[in-house]
């Protein structure tokens, strides 16, 4: 391992810029003549718009334009799209209601966009927003998921008369029913996966800029995938053809999925820029982020597990209602279907699985992918039901899991996925050891002496990352292919620029991607620049989400590097006057086998550009190669997390005492960055389990619309984590990488809830398990304190 | 935020006349409540009268058996004051747990008491310790000062200049933070001075900070956490929200009172 190559815990190159305040986020960018946009948002969850009176607002100081849904229609600007088609059981396509960027006749959630004011200053834009008078006819809202599809419920979109977007299924119903028919024991569980609000540190922002000389647009925006944004804005919304639309996603301060999607605000800014004739900037404030960033999760599930007399799992049936909010956001439809149900086999050998999912409209913010996207929901179901099954059968939860682990690979589950490799027992063994499981009962007794309830909870998760083979996702309804592209440009002095279609918004690509180049070309990471986030620089890319940038993005770079080395060998052969077959490349030097003749990588780069030693007919000058990489399978990171906690029954406060995580991420490029990803993931997962929860009241008003009520996990809520890894390299990409970005968020919630219910003695508890909720459960707890 | 005028008086008298002169003007102390409210356009004062440059409004001194704290004294300065730590450690501890470091370096005791947020910490200390709120016009006993959430005895144009805290023989504050905001969901300040025991509760009631008579009576008999066993306060007018319903807050009052007593006894 070289100092900056694969496997080295290199400090992040980008951090100097971020820590010293030199990052360039969208809001740091200002264009000459820039104007400011402010949106009028619906104060009602559900209402028809009878009339909009703009006269007072138009007369307001500094106002340049006020645009509404009528203007969008007049300009034939298309609506926002959902890019993944889901078909119901009966073969009918999902019922996607129109999603105009500015409301046309109706508003469907609090925060829905009605009009935009563009003014000289932000304060003027906001003043004018307050002067717009809208005459609403308030309609009864649909808020509760279990009421949404009942007959007589208000209709949100005419295309979906019972508010059902789809009624989808996966798996073999007859086989699953057969398993239950012969079951010795059936474990049943009802679960809610609570709605979360992503809360990236940087709110969303956009600047639309129009160049009338070239009839071309530029959009600066907080995006995880600028090329997808361009594709959607161009091909579907119809803002401009792709070659006339440049999308720049500069430094982006966190996304967690919420910045994948193409939203109303950026669409409106880029469209308005031409209408106003000046750049238009919008920067969301925190309230807007709470109200109108796509939320995550929000499932209600009933699950049943069939078991034989020894505790072997025979079958699983799952019925889920998934809240999709008021409109279908960009990838919303696939999250509770193809990103969820195929993961319900967990790490277990389950012969028969049948899953039914209803996607449902409600008068709430759209719900879409959020860190883990579907996989945390699946893991919560399987890891809760497995835990309860073990308890019901009186078996040790760790050994119950082990007994049901998949042990031979490849393993085809009954729900699409073919697990390629793994060693689940190894992760479990290591985790049990690190968590000192054997002495847990002793610690529990100690806690009881202090009046505290101690519990331990397991989560043996699996996820499908590296999303994903294009042919596979295409067959499942995706509107795009999920390959990645890369271009490696070697400069004459031997420095390297890598253009990637991945996008870094906290992941540290500028470091890890450079480490790959350093490793392969034998140069320092300081000689490598990673270029991303600009559609004029990078040819195309699918962006960063689903822990795909290592497995897919870096594999594309790896492929391009292969081509660079191959070409450089040819150049070296001319320069060293040897035959190409005799050229060896090692540690950054090209040498002629069996001689002391050699050239450094930089020298060969120069030879490629000066092209003095060969003719252009023999070999093209220059050293630049590109590659598209399409994976052959998903990757399957897995691991075991163990949470040990104490509950104060007097207050209901839960304190996590130990956290053990043993993950198999395949090969690791930078262990320090991976650890950081695991820490952040666990924090977010613990957040879901203990603190976070979006709450709408019966009128569809978001009660948790600020940090006064929406509780984020903080550093002092968490212990120091004990983190380790096991390794089975991924066989389906050249680097053996599986991905690590979502693991913690996927693994953590069931580990916490299993530990709380263990401490309380099998009481079920909803997330977030707030002090109040835990206190109430503790009052009824069957586990009486030994000390009492 | 809406536009407003900004004034920077140098004396309390100038501040008072500026307040008088500008209709709908407001005093600005640390701005930790006022500025966020203005940013959200929920408040629109015509002018801000900044107390930050008024001479003599900040500072801590021991005067006889009292600790006197200037209205513009920041929470962080109360928390780190050697005088407070020595003579009224419960107050230093309370101040050290308000908000976050940024809030503690801006927020002031005068602003907090003037605002009288039902979840704020200082009101519990002022009421339990029997503090005197000193204004440009008069002295107000804490028992008369707090008049329900966000309501005080302060009159139009009245400016808090100092707060005087009598030194107790034993005192402690136990705070149960709201999980999200970390304001007090329930905060109980217990103070014993001679045979007199006062217990003030913040965070719990729709009527703001209050004295918990049943707890005071129990502790008056014996100043001991055990005395509070089975003693509770009436929670019918308590706050119920997504973080805690009235009965849960009621439970927390007794639990936090016990913890405050243990803390006061150095346990
Ligand atoms: C993130 C955050 C967390 C917080 N957490 C807590 C917490 O845990 N516990 C807690 O108790 N508080 C908390 N606060 C509130 C904070 O502690 C401040 O003390 C409080 O906001 C008021 O003090 P201030 O000096 O900022 O007053 P300002 O915001 O400047 O003023 C508040 C009000 O008081 C009036 N006023 C100010 N000074 C005087 C005076 N001398 N005489 C008369 N009227 C005056 C003003 O006109 C205004 O109406 C928090 C605040 C924030 C922003």
């Amino acid at each position: 391992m070289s100092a900056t190559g694969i496997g080295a815990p290199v400090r992040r190159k980008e951090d100097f810029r971020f820590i010293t305040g030199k990052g360039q986020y969208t809001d740091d960018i200002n264009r000459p003549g820039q104007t400011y946009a402010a949106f009028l948002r619906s104060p009602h969850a559900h209402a028809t718009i009878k009339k909009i009176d703009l006269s007072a607002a138009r007369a307001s100081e500094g106002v340049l334009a006020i645009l509404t849904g009528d203007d969008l229609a007049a300009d034939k600007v298309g609506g926002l799209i959902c890019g993944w088609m889901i078909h119901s059981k009966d073969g009918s396509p999902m019922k996607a209601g129109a999603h105009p960027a500015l409301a046309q006749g109706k508003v469907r959630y609090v925060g829905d966009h009605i009009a935009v004011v563009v003014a000289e200053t932000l304060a003027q834009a906001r003043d004018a927003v307050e002067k717009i008078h809208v005459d609403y006819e308030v309609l009864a809202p649909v808020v509760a998921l279990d009421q949404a599809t009942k007959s007589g419920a208000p209709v949100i979109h005419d295309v979906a008369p019972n508010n059902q977007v789809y009624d989808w299924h996966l798996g073999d119903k007859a086989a699953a029913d057969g398993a239950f028919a012969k079951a010795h024991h059936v474990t049943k569980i009802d679960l809610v996966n609570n709605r979360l609000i992503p809360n990236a540190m940087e709110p969303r922002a956009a600047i639309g800029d129009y160049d009338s000389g070239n009839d071309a647009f530029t959009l600066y925006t907080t995006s995880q995938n600028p090329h997808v944004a361009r594709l959607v804005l161009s091909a579907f919304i119809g803002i401009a053809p792709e070659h006339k639309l440049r999308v720049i996603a500069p430094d982006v301060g966190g996304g967690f999925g919420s910045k994948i999607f193409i939203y109303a605000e950026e669409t409106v800014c880029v469209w308005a820029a031409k209408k106003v004739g000046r750049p238009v900037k919008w920067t969301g404030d925190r309230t807007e982020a709470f109200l109108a960033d796509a939320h995550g999760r929000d499932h209600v599930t009933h699950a049943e597990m069939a078991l034989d007399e020894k505790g072997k799992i025979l079958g699983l049936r799952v019925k889920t209602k998934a809240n999709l909010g008021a409109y279908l956001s960009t990838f919303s439809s696939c999250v509770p279907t193809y990103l969820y149900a195929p993961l319900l086999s967990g790490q277990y050998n389950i012969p028969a699985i049948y899953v039914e999912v209803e996607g449902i409209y409600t008068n709430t913010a759209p719900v879409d992918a959020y860190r883990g996207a579907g996989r945390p929901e699946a893991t919560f179901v399987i890891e809760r039901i497995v835990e309860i099954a073990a308890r019901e059968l009186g078996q040790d939860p760790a050994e119950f899991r082990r007994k049901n682990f998949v042990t031979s690979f490849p393993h085809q589950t009954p729900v699409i996925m073919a697990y390629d490799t793994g060693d689940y027992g190894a992760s479990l063994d290591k985790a049990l050891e690190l968590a000192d499981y054997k002495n847990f009962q002793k610690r529990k007794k100690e806690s009881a002496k202090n009046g505290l309830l101690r519990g331990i909870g397991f989560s043996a998760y699996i996820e499908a990352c590296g999303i994903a083979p294009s042919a596979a996702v295409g067959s499942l309804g995706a509107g795009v292919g999920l390959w990645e592209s890369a271009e490696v440009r070697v400069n004459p002095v031997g420095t390297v620029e890598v253009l990637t279609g991945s996008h870094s918004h906290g992941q540290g690509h500028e470091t890890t991607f450079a480490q790959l180049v350093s490793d392969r070309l034998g140069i320092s990471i300081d000689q490598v620049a990673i270029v991303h986030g600009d559609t004029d620089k990078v040819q195309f890319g699918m962006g960063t989400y689903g822990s795909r940038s290592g497995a897919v993005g870096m594999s594309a770079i790896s492929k391009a590097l292969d081509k660079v080395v191959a070409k450089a060998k040819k150049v070296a052969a001319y320069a060293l006057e040897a035959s190409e077959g005799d050229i060896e490349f090692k540690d950054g030097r090209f040498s002629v086998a069996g001689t002391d003749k050699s050239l450094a990588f930089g020298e060969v780069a120069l030879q490629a550009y000066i092209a003095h030693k060969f003719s252009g007919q023999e070999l093209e000058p220059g050293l630049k190669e590109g590659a598209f990489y399409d994976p052959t399978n998903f990757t399957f990171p897995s691991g075991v997390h163990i949470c040990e906690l104490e509950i104060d029954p007097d207050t209901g406060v839960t304190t996590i005492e130990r956290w053990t995580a043993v993950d198999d991420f395949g090969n690791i490029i930078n262990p320090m960055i991976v650890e950081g990803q695991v820490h952040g993931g666990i924090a977010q997962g613990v957040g879901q389990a203990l603190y976070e929860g979006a709450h709408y009241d019966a009128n569809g008003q978001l009660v948790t619309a600020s940090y006064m009520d929406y509780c984020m996990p903080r550093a002092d809520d968490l212990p120091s984590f004990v983190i380790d890894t096991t390794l089975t390299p991924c066989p389906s990409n050249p680097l053996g990488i599986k991905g690590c970005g979502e693991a913690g968020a996927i693994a953590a919630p069931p580990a916490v809830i299993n530990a709380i219910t263990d401490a309380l003695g099998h009481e079920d508890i909803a997330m977030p398990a707030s002090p109040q909720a835990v206190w109430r459960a503790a009052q009824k707890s069957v586990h009486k304190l030994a000390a009492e | 935020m809406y536009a407003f005028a900004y004034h920077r008086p140098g004396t309390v008298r100038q501040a008072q006349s500026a307040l008088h002169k500008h209709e709908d003007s407001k005093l600005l102390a640390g701005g930790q409540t006022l500025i966020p409210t203005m940013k959200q356009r929920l408040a629109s004062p015509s002018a801000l009268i900044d107390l930050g440059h008024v001479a003599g409004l900040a500072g801590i001194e021991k005067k006889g058996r009292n600790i006197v704290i200037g209205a513009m004294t920041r929470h962080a300065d109360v928390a780190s004051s050697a005088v407070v730590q020595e003579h009224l450690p419960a107050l230093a501890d309370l101040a050290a747990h308000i908000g976050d470091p940024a809030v503690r370096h801006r927020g002031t005791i005068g602003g907090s008491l003037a605002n009288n947020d039902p979840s704020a910490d200082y009101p519990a200390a002022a009421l339990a310790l029997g503090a005197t709120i000193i204004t440009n016009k008069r002295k107000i006993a804490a028992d008369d000062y707090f008049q329900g959430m966000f309501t005080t005895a302060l009159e139009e144009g009245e400016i808090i200049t100092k707060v005087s805290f009598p030194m107790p023989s034993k005192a402690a504050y136990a705070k149960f933070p709201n999980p999200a905001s970390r304001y007090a969901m329930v905060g109980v300040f217990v103070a014993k001075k001679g045979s007199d025991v006062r217990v003030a509760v913040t965070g719990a009631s729709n009527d703001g900070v209050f004295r918990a008579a049943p707890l005071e009576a129990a502790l008056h008999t014996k100043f001991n956490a055990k005395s509070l066993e089975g003693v509770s306060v009436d929670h019918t007018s308590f706050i119920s929200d997504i973080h805690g319903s009235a009965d849960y807050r009621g439970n927390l009052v007794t639990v936090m009172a016990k913890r405050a007593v243990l803390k006061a006894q150095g346990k």
Side-chain angles (χ1 to χ4, degrees):
Chain A
M1 183 176 82
S2 75
T4 61
I6 290 174
V10 178
R11 285 204 187 159
R12 298 191 349 153
K13 286 176 74 177
E14 46 272 76
D15 283 348
F16 179 77
R17 166 167 108 246
F18 295 144
I19 290 168
T20 55
K22 300 284 161 56
Q24 276 285 305
Y25 297 89
T26 300
D27 191 53
D28 293 321
I29 296 167
N30 293 296
R31 304 294 302 156
Q34 177 174 294
T35 66
Y36 296 84
F39 286 84
L40 172 67
R41 292 172 185 276
S42 174
H44 303 295
H46 199 191
T48 43
I49 298 172
K50 287 161 64 184
K51 191 166 163 271
I52 304 179
D53 179 358
L54 299 175
S55 50
R58 285 220 162 102
S60 192
E61 198 186 337
V63 171
L64 299 165
I66 305 181
L67 304 169
T68 68
D70 288 347
D71 300 298
L72 281 173
D75 283 7
K76 299 198 168 54
V77 177
L80 307 179
I81 62 151
C82 178
W84 197 306
M85 174 51 74
I86 299 296
H87 288 92
S88 286
K89 288 172 188 168
D90 64 7
S92 62
M94 68 185 184
K95 300 182 183 100
H99 190 181
L102 297 170
Q104 292 172 343
K106 203 174 174 193
V107 283
R108 295 181 173 87
Y109 67 100
V110 172
D112 201 355
H113 316 72
I114 297 170
V116 65
V117 174
V118 180
E120 295 286 352
T121 72
L122 180 57
Q124 288 170 339
R126 289 189 171 160
D127 287 347
V129 164
E130 290 179 0
K131 293 178 186 156
I132 300 176
H133 297 292
V134 183
D135 192 1
Y136 298 99
E137 182 182 330
V138 177
L139 305 172
V142 178
V143 183
L145 196 50
D146 54 354
Q147 302 297 315
T149 51
K150 292 220 165 120
S151 73
V155 176
I156 299 172
H157 291 276
D158 293 341
V159 294
N162 61 349
N163 296 319
Q164 191 191 65
V165 183
Y166 49 71
D167 180 14
W168 174 89
H169 66 162
L170 183 70
D172 184 337
K173 182 173 188 318
D177 289 348
F180 280 83
K182 63 175 191 229
H184 165 77
H185 180 84
V186 174
T187 293
K188 298 183 180 179
I189 186 166
D190 287 288
L191 296 171
V192 174
N193 202 288
N194 46 327
R195 178 186 279 241
L196 304 177
I197 302 178
N199 279 300
M201 199 181 282
E202 179 205 20
R204 289 190 298 114
I207 307 170
D209 199 347
Y210 176 66
D211 168 3
S212 59
N214 292 304
D215 188 28
F217 294 84
T218 302
L219 170 65
Y220 302 83
T221 187
T222 48
S223 175
Q224 298 178 217
N225 44 355
H227 287 90
V228 177
R230 185 181 66 166
L231 176 67
V232 170
L233 286 166
S234 175
F236 296 93
I237 300 175
I239 296 288
E242 280 176 277
H243 68 300
K244 295 284 188 186
L245 175 59
R246 176 181 185 184
V247 178
I248 298 174
D251 285 332
V252 174
F256 311 111
S258 69
K259 292 172 181 167
I260 297 173
F261 322 122
I262 290 75
Y263 288 91
E265 291 89 351
E266 55 261 30
T267 304
V268 167
C269 282
V270 68
W271 164 66
K274 182 174 179 181
K275 297 194 83 77
V276 177
R278 288 165 61 182
V280 177
K281 178 189 246 184
W282 169 77
T283 303
D285 64 21
R286 190 53 69 181
T287 307
E288 291 180 295
F290 273 105
L291 291 175
D293 284 7
H295 294 178
R297 318 277 193 262
D298 207 345
H299 286 193
V300 174
T301 294
H302 175 78
E304 302 181 350
M305 180 170 268
L307 298 134
D308 73 9
E309 58 276 39
K310 296 203 182 92
K312 276 274 203 188
I313 305 170
L314 300 173
L316 180 70
R317 287 193 295 229
V318 177
K319 241 181 139 89
T320 293
K321 285 177 189 285
N323 195 342
L324 296 174
Y327 299 96
L328 297 186
S329 170
T330 316
F331 288 111
S332 58
S333 56
C334 72
V335 176
T337 49
Y338 288 110
L339 294 183
Y340 167 68
L343 275 300
L344 281 165
S345 194
Q347 296 188 356
Y348 311 107
N349 206 330
I350 307 182
I353 301 179
Y354 182 61
V355 190
E356 294 170 279
V357 180
E358 257 187 289
I360 295 169
Y361 282 124
T362 60
N363 291 115
T364 61
V367 179
D368 206 325
Y370 169 63
R371 200 170 191 171
R375 291 151 290 170
E377 294 91 317
T379 302
F380 192 62
V381 172
I382 187 77
E383 286 307 291
R384 285 292 289 128
I385 200 165
V386 160
E387 184 82 20
I388 291 169
R391 290 174 189 173
E392 286 179 358
L393 296 174
Q395 300 188 7
D396 178 273
E399 295 316 309
F400 176 83
R401 284 177 168 84
R402 187 195 305 280
K403 176 170 25 189
N404 285 290
F405 276 164
V406 169
T407 50
S408 72
F409 296 89
H411 171 82
Q412 178 63 52
T413 74
V415 276
I416 300 176
M417 292 302 179
Y419 298 168
D420 50 9
T421 183
D423 185 347
Y424 308 145
S427 304
L428 181 62
D429 288 339
K430 206 169 199 177
L432 289 173
E433 177 73 32
L434 290 171
D436 189 25
Y437 184 51
K438 61 178 190 301
N439 288 313
F440 169 71
Q441 289 303 335
K442 259 191 231 159
R443 297 193 292 275
K444 191 173 171 78
K445 287 205 186 89
E446 278 305 307
S447 298
K449 276 189 208 153
N450 299 321
L452 301 170
L453 301 164
R454 186 176 277 259
I456 195 162
F458 295 85
S459 176
Y461 74 96
I462 188 162
E463 51 169 331
C465 293
I467 292 173
S470 300
V473 295
S475 75
L476 305 178
V480 288
L482 288 172
W483 43 265
E484 197 46 85
S485 84
E487 192 177 312
V488 175
R489 295 180 184 167
V490 182
N491 296 318
V493 289
T495 58
V496 173
E497 281 147 31
V498 176
L499 287 73
T500 170
S502 299
H503 184 275
S504 189
H505 34 277
Q507 292 85 349
H509 294 173
E510 289 170 45
T511 307
T512 48
F513 289 12
Q515 283 182 257
L516 170 62
V517 177
S518 163
D519 200 86
R520 294 289 289 280
L521 300 184
I523 58 178
S524 148
I525 55 168
D526 297 331
Q527 290 170 273
V528 184
I530 306 299
V531 179
H532 64 106
D534 185 340
T535 59
D536 263 14
K537 293 183 181 165
V538 181
Q539 194 223 329
F540 209 90
M542 297 311 299
T544 289
Y545 39 81
S547 304
R548 66 190 305 275
S549 299
V552 190
M554 288 181 84
S555 292
I557 298 171
S558 171
K559 239 178 114 177
L561 286 168
D562 288 344
K563 295 186 191 175
V564 165
V565 171
K567 166 101 185 261
K569 274 188 176 169
K570 289 194 169 68
V571 177
Y574 282 106
L576 292 165
E577 292 163 356
S579 88
E580 194 191 328
D582 290 337
I583 301 292
E584 287 172 349
F585 181 54
K586 204 170 163 262
D587 298 331
R589 288 199 84 79
F590 292 88
S591 51
V592 183
T595 72
D596 60 357
K597 290 206 293 184
S598 75
L599 286 173
F601 178 76
E603 293 169 310
V604 173
L606 184 62
Q607 289 297 330
Y609 282 92
I610 61 173
H612 293 168
K613 301 271 175 138
F614 54 89
S615 74
Q617 285 69 42
E618 291 164 316
L619 186 65
E620 279 181 28
L623 193 51
K624 181 192 95 164
E625 298 290 344
F628 284 66
Y629 174 77
D630 202 349
T632 54
N633 193 354
F634 292 86
T635 68
F636 297 97
S638 65
V640 171
H641 286 219
I642 302 178
C643 168
E644 189 171 323
L645 48 74
E646 273 183 344
I647 290 170
D648 175 351
D650 292 339
T651 58
V653 168
T654 299
T655 309
I656 296 176
E657 293 291 327
R658 288 166 166 250
W659 195 282
T660 310
V662 177
D663 299 293
D664 178 355
F665 296 135
N667 290 332
I668 286 173
I669 306 294
N670 183 323
M672 186 163 65
I673 288 180
V674 166
E675 235 180 80
Q677 289 285 321
V678 173
H679 285 200
I682 296 170
Q684 261 170 315
V686 170
Q688 168 161 31
L690 293 181
Y691 309 110
E692 298 184 50
H695 185 85
Y696 283 94
D697 71 11
N699 296 319
Q701 294 293 334
L702 183 63
V703 177
T704 50
S706 81
Y707 293 127
M708 289 300 281
D709 288 302
Y710 190 89
C711 183
M712 293 294 284
R714 288 134 153 127
D716 66 354
D717 291 321
L718 300 160
S720 284
F721 306 123
V722 177
I723 284 173
D724 208 335
T725 54
T726 55
L727 173 63
T728 57
C730 178
S732 58
N733 63 60
L735 299 170
I737 293 178
K738 294 186 180 179
C740 67
E742 295 150 300
I746 292 171
V752 174
I753 299 301
N754 287 339
I756 291 178
T757 53
D758 177 55
L760 296 174
H762 300 199
E763 279 273 352
D764 189 27
I765 193 153
M767 298 191 291
S770 65
Q772 163 166 247
V774 172
W775 174 74
R776 269 188 217 294
Q779 301 308 297
K780 297 181 283 171
S781 170
V782 295
H783 266 199
K784 283 292 165 216
L785 277 173
E788 277 182 3
Chain B
M1 209 178 267
Y2 298 100
F4 57 87
Y6 174 80
H7 300 279
R8 185 187 277 181
T11 65
V12 174
R13 190 178 288 276
Q14 285 171 4
Q16 187 182 343
S17 70
L19 260 184
H20 188 72
K21 208 166 97 196
H22 304 279
E23 212 181 318
D24 290 331
S25 61
K26 263 197 172 304
L27 296 172
L28 174 68
Q32 296 303 292
T33 294
L34 189 51
I35 302 285
T37 324
M38 289 169 65
K39 277 179 153 176
Q40 289 171 57
R41 300 190 153 208
L42 298 171
S44 50
S46 66
L48 290 183
I49 319 294
D50 188 353
L51 294 177
H53 301 266
V54 173
L57 272 189
I60 298 167
E61 55 180 340
K62 182 171 172 291
K63 271 194 167 167
R65 298 296 300 154
N66 291 292
I67 302 295
V68 181
I69 301 179
M72 283 301 291
T73 311
R74 316 279 170 181
H75 309 330
D77 295 328
V78 174
S80 61
S81 153
V83 175
V84 182
Q85 283 175 357
E86 185 182 345
H87 301 288
L88 199 39
L91 194 68
D93 175 52
L94 174 148
H97 291 93
I98 295 174
D100 51 51
V103 169
R104 290 195 289 274
H105 280 88
R106 295 297 309 165
T108 67
I109 189 167
S112 179
L113 291 173
N115 195 45
N116 192 21
D117 188 302
S119 306
D121 297 303
Y122 269 129
L127 190 58
L129 290 166
T132 303
I133 318 304
I134 300 159
T135 75
N136 55 339
K137 298 189 172 149
R138 57 188 168 142
K139 295 182 174 179
I140 313 171
D143 282 316
D144 303 323
Y145 177 83
F146 300 104
Q147 302 190 345
M149 65 158 80
F150 299 112
T151 315
T152 67
L154 289 179
E155 287 163 3
E156 199 68 16
E158 198 164 4
I159 301 172
I160 300 176
T161 54
K162 289 178 193 151
V163 190
S164 176
F165 294 94
M167 281 159 22
S169 44
K170 282 184 180 135
Y173 180 61
K175 172 177 180 173
F176 189 91
N178 175 305
S181 71
R182 295 201 174 173
Y183 272 78
M185 192 144 100
V186 163
V188 180
F189 202 107
V190 173
K192 179 170 161 47
K193 193 168 183 229
S195 66
D196 189 24
V197 178
R198 292 167 65 109
V199 179
V201 178
T202 188
S205 171
N206 276 312
D207 301 325
V209 67
F210 69 97
R211 284 176 63 184
L215 304 182
E216 290 184 354
L219 290 173
H220 187 76
T221 315
K222 192 154 195 241
F223 192 77
N224 192 320
K226 276 224 169 67
S227 311
L228 297 174
E229 213 64 67
V231 182
S232 60
V233 289
D234 178 9
H235 60 251
T236 38
S237 67
F238 275 16
I239 298 167
S240 268
D241 58 23
I242 58 167
H243 307 288
S245 58
D247 66 328
Y248 176 56
R249 281 184 159 89
N251 163 70
L252 286 178
V253 170
T254 305
V255 174
M256 289 299 119
K258 284 187 200 164
R259 291 181 186 181
V261 171
L262 289 172
K263 216 164 152 184
Q265 293 173 318
K267 289 183 187 167

